[in-house]
Amino acid sequence: MRDTFDTIQRNVDLLTHPVVPEYGYVPHHSRLLPDLEAVKESMELLKGILFPGFLGETGSNPNTQTYHIGTGLERLYGLLREQIERCSEFFEGGVLPESAGNLALAFIDRLPEIKRLLCTDVKAIFEGDATAKFYEEVIYCYPAVLAMVHYRVAHTLLKLGIPVIPRIITELAHSATGIDIHPAARIDEYFSIGHGTGVVIGETCIIGKHVRLYQGVTLGARNNMLDEYAVSLDEPRHPVLEDHVIIYSNTTILGRVTIGHHTIIGGNIWQTTSVAPYSRVTQQKSVETTFTDGSGI
């Protein structure tokens, strides 16, 4: 019995008194951090508010929809206010720029525009898939819709200056769908992803209107630019896709390059240079070459 107590006590001491240098990589926080379950509940509420009757628990009966959405927004406000307060340490100087309640209300004020953008995404996904028979099918079943709900919510929170929570939200969708969209990426209306698994959209990407990606597409950076303290530099390093671009499956586009409007890029392409508008990029046979640091084909 004594051996059991000694073993437990010894390891408690080691785990709570960081004598191992590597333990220093995990910061100590004096306040509560965001609650993952509360963020998940917020997203469930939001899905029901944005797509009542389809996602979340909000009813589809038009006679009771006003009640359900109203109570949902009240609950959402309380959850968001608390989670924003929990993020206070991550704001500059560890101080909220304004009250958490005001930030939560500012987000709620943006929900009609979020819904408008999501409706354009649903239309683009439906029109881009000949197998889709009903809009309802797209909303219920397509992973791209779930990923875009999470992204557009997270992007709006990030634009309000709220840290950490946006990344939690997009990573929830990443885990569920295999679609990885950084909340800071800028994606315009009528955006669609076919199939979806393996799509990666980096932090400084800019994507125009009516853009369509297929599974396995990566919009990434050629390298991670660091300052003298090994902190990532806040510089554009991901692609710009202009309006009406289509990129087929398993294509990788790296660096701050521009893909001109109305361009189609075929599958399995490695692209590290800009492309003029109205281009057609294909690879009809394999090409053997050497490349370093993301440059190459």
Side-chain angles (χ1 to χ4, degrees), residues 174-288:
H174 182 194
S175 298
T177 66
I179 298 170
D180 182 3
I181 307 177
H182 195 285
R186 291 160 52 188
I187 303 176
D188 213 324
E189 60 190 23
Y190 293 97
F191 177 71
S192 66
I193 300 174
H195 307 292
T197 306
V199 167
V200 178
I201 300 174
E203 177 185 16
T204 60
C205 278
I206 300 175
I207 298 177
K209 298 178 175 68
H210 298 278
V211 169
R212 181 169 181 79
L213 310 180
Y214 284 86
Q215 70 274 16
V217 167
T218 296
L219 304 178
R222 286 177 57 172
N223 53 32
N224 187 20
M225 296 178 288
L226 305 176
D227 65 14
E228 60 182 308
Y229 303 105
V231 175
S232 294
L233 293 172
D234 187 18
E235 294 181 4
R237 59 192 186 280
H238 297 94
V240 176
L241 275 54
E242 295 182 346
D243 297 345
H244 297 278
V245 167
I246 300 174
I247 303 177
Y248 283 95
S249 59
N250 299 315
T251 281
T252 296
I253 303 177
L254 300 181
R256 193 57 165 190
V257 300
T258 297
I259 308 301
H261 57 83
H262 294 87
T263 286
I264 297 175
I265 298 184
N268 299 299
I269 301 294
W270 182 275
Q271 189 72 36
T272 58
T273 57
S274 294
V275 176
Y278 294 101
S279 295
R280 300 292 182 269
V281 180
T282 61
Q283 182 176 303
Q284 296 179 341
K285 62 180 180 179
S286 64
V287 177
E288 293 186 8

Side-chain angles (χ1 to χ4, degrees), residues 139-155:
I139 298 169
Y140 270 129
C141 305
Y142 281 47
V145 173
L146 181 63
M148 290 308 294
V149 171
H150 281 245
Y151 158 74
R152 295 215 182 270
V153 166
H155 183 70

